[in-house]
Amino acid sequence: MYQLKKWFEIPIGSIVSEAGSSMMNNTGSWRMLRPVLNTEKCTNCLICWIFCPDDSIPVNREQRFETDFQYCKGCGICAVECPYDALEMVPEMEIKLKELE
Amino acid sequence: MSTKVIALTGNQAAAEAMRQINFDVAAVYPISPQTELMGFFAEYVANGEVDTDMVAVEGEHSAMAACIGAAAAGARVITASAGPGIAYMVENLYIASGMRLPIVLIDVNRALSAPLSIHCDHGDSMLTRDSGWISLFSENAQEAYHNLIMSVKIAEKAMFPVIVNYDGYIVSHSIENVEIFDDETVREFVGPSGIHRIPYPLLDVSKPVTYGATAQPDYYTECKYQQHVDFLKVYDIVREVFNEFESISGKRYDFIEEYMTEDAEYIGISMGSSFGTLKDAVNTLRAQGRKVGAIKIRLYRPFPVKELAQALSKAKGIAVLDRADSFDGIGGPLFKDVCTAILHNQNRSLVHNFIYGLGGREIHEEEFIKAFDRVERLEKGVETRDNLVEYLQVRA
Ligand code: SF4
Ligand code: SF4
């Protein structure tokens, strides 16, 4: 289990001394809008991958894969930058409600 | 060690200290009455007399941001500002102290707008009083010079940033005799710079760290509590540095300076350049047989609560002289600090607050004498009060 540090165990200045510790935080938890990918429109140009500020779009040399929703914060930059209109920002609530139905 | 006495303005004395300390980085934006200080220092930079990287930024918010970056990288850094410039810096002041970066900031005290004034009061410094910075006030150019030299050491020992205040124009632009150390003495006192001075230098690529990360509700309290506990240790660190400074200068500094308080029944308290005038008022009243004294606050943050309580324990009445108003229905900032300090005392003195010297208004001995008179009459029950605070110098 991940143990919370006590006040005197925190490094001075509240610095984070371990690399990659943000992996422990599910930063996608506060997403309000979800970039929904239309694979038919997507040309795999990878422009969204360049712009995503949270590195949440997994790619290889040929292709982009489904967004990593553990970390995607729903900023919508990918949808704005996509030249092929392949991403639509849909309210998380709508998706959740649909899942419930 | 050798010293020489030369005629300098406060700004020249501060620039001289900056030259001798030889900061790694100075990030600054000009604003009166600080502009001249950085003008003098820029000359040292241009002439190659210092190794300082002088970064001309586009505003004070950026000046402090650049200082934060450089200090986190391990550089010894300084900036200076005044009045509205300090106001513009405030967000980053909290970041600097939260990140525990040993930055030095000179505040050449200036009033805040509106109305616009480039002249002195302590309103700007009061914006910084809860920001987690150590704060020192200087009465004259000599003290500004000394405080600056000590501030580097205090900041680096405490791992908290330090503000050195001196009054705009009154100190910054007036010429006085200032005793200057030789360069060697100052450089030896502050010690060498170098990135490993601080616990987690950002440029130490073998131990990468993240500065200024988010703390969620599960961490923020612990981070702040650590800052709280460490800030209380600053008293001992400042005393230590004052002692070390005495061994090179022969000059004994304390958190507060007392003048004729031993048997004083009524005590006036002020900060900065007005203390000389306050002492004059005390001398005049003493000559008339009145038992009065004066106290100057040198260490403003952390506030010398215990020392002040002790010094005031026998006073019947206290006149707190604030060079800033708080507009909060209570009183000036210093007034509230003094009231809090005397909560330590069994016998509570009568405390009354006087606002003076706003926006550079000159203060005279007679006005301080009026404050002593008023406090004595209040204490004796000859006069009454509707408020705890009044202005000393209003045309009515
Ligand atoms: S919405 Fe923002 S965070 Fe999520 S994938 Fe697109 S660009 Fe990245
Ligand atoms: S920018 Fe649009 S088209 Fe290009 S890879 Fe991303 S989603 Fe596909």
Side-chain angles (χ1 to χ4, degrees), chain B residues 284-358:
Chain B
T284 303
L285 293 173
R286 281 273 172 182
Q288 298 165 9
R290 306 253 300 265
K291 285 188 172 168
V292 294
I295 292 176
K296 174 174 79 182
I297 309 290
R298 172 173 292 105
L299 177 68
Y300 181 59
R301 283 292 181 269
F303 197 67
V305 181
K306 288 182 187 137
E307 291 71 14
L308 194 61
Q310 175 63 34
L312 295 171
S313 59
K314 284 185 251 133
K316 288 183 183 168
I318 303 162
V320 183
L321 303 155
D322 258 293
R323 199 162 201 153
D325 196 350
S326 281
F327 312 108
D328 57 7
I330 310 170
L334 183 57
F335 174 68
K336 283 171 292 212
D337 294 331
V338 172
C339 290
T340 310
I342 64 168
L343 288 177
H344 281 263
N345 292 343
Q346 215 75 55
N347 299 318
R348 304 266 158 76
S349 349
L350 178 132
V351 194
H352 199 59
N353 191 197
F354 302 92
I355 311 273
Y356 75 97
L358 298 188

Side-chain angles (χ1 to χ4, degrees), chain B residues 95-233:
Chain B
I95 294 172
S97 60
M99 288 190 188
R100 304 292 302 275
L101 298 170
I103 298 165
V104 177
L105 161 63
I106 300 174
D107 180 353
V108 189
N109 298 120
R110 162 177 167 173
L112 295 169
S113 310
L116 190 143
S117 166
I118 59 168
H119 293 279
C120 170
D121 69 35
H122 296 159
D124 57 353
S125 192
M126 294 309 146
L127 286 173
T128 70
R129 73 194 161 126
D130 298 337
S131 67
W133 283 59
I134 298 163
S135 180
L136 296 164
F137 272 79
S138 330
E139 184 184 333
N140 47 41
Q142 183 72 67
E143 282 193 15
Y145 174 76
H146 284 170
N147 280 343
L148 249 175
I149 293 168
M150 290 188 285
S151 70
V152 177
K153 209 159 196 176
I154 293 169
E156 289 170 10
K157 279 192 184 208
M159 287 304 289
F160 276 111
V162 179
I163 300 174
V164 174
N165 297 275
Y166 59 87
D167 286 353
Y169 295 106
I170 305 164
V171 173
S172 70
H173 286 63
S174 310
I175 295 177
E176 298 169 51
N177 277 343
V178 181
E179 191 184 37
I180 301 291
F181 303 115
D182 59 292
D183 294 0
E184 266 316 295
T185 302
V186 175
R187 290 192 186 167
E188 218 167 276
F189 181 76
V190 299
S193 181
I195 71 163
H196 290 287
R197 255 180 322 103
I198 67 166
Y200 299 99
L202 205 53
L203 291 186
D204 182 357
V205 286
S206 62
K207 276 187 280 161
V209 295
T210 305
Y211 268 91
T214 315
Q216 295 298 344
D218 59 355
Y219 263 106
Y220 193 84
T221 303
E222 280 68 26
C223 294
K224 287 292 137 181
Y225 185 65
Q226 185 189 73
Q227 191 179 337
H228 171 96
V229 170
D230 285 357
F231 203 63
L232 293 178
K233 296 179 191 158

Side-chain angles (χ1 to χ4, degrees), chain B residues 233-251:
Chain B
K233 296 179 191 158
V234 170
Y235 293 113
D236 286 345
I237 291 166
V238 173
R239 203 175 286 292
E240 209 180 291
V241 174
F242 280 179
N243 289 342
E244 283 172 39
F245 189 74
E246 188 185 2
S247 67
I248 65 156
S249 66
K251 179 93 190 149

Side-chain angles (χ1 to χ4, degrees), chain A residues 8-96:
Chain A
F8 50 85
E9 294 168 340
I10 298 168
I12 185 170
S14 311
I15 62 115
V16 181
S17 54
E18 315 96 58
S21 61
S22 59
M23 301 281 280
M24 287 187 280
N25 292 310
N26 181 3
T27 50
S29 64
W30 59 71
R31 183 178 55 253
M32 311 265 298
L33 299 172
R34 181 188 295 202
V36 175
L37 178 66
N38 182 338
T39 44
E40 268 163 34
K41 285 189 182 174
C42 176
T43 64
N44 292 306
C45 69
L46 306 192
I47 284 184
C48 55
W49 166 71
I50 293 169
F51 278 96
C52 174
D54 278 348
D55 205 8
S56 299
I57 300 171
V59 293
N60 64 15
R61 282 179 184 281
E62 282 87 40
Q63 201 190 339
R64 72 153 280 168
F65 301 100
E66 180 59 298
T67 309
D68 184 347
F69 290 116
Q70 184 106 19
Y71 301 113
C72 163
K73 64 184 171 189
C75 67
I77 291 175
C78 52
V80 169
E81 296 298 337
C82 172
Y84 303 99
D85 218 7
L87 289 160
E88 189 195 348
M89 299 306 289
V90 181
E92 274 296 324
M93 202 52 92
E94 254 175 47
I95 296 168
K96 294 259 156 62

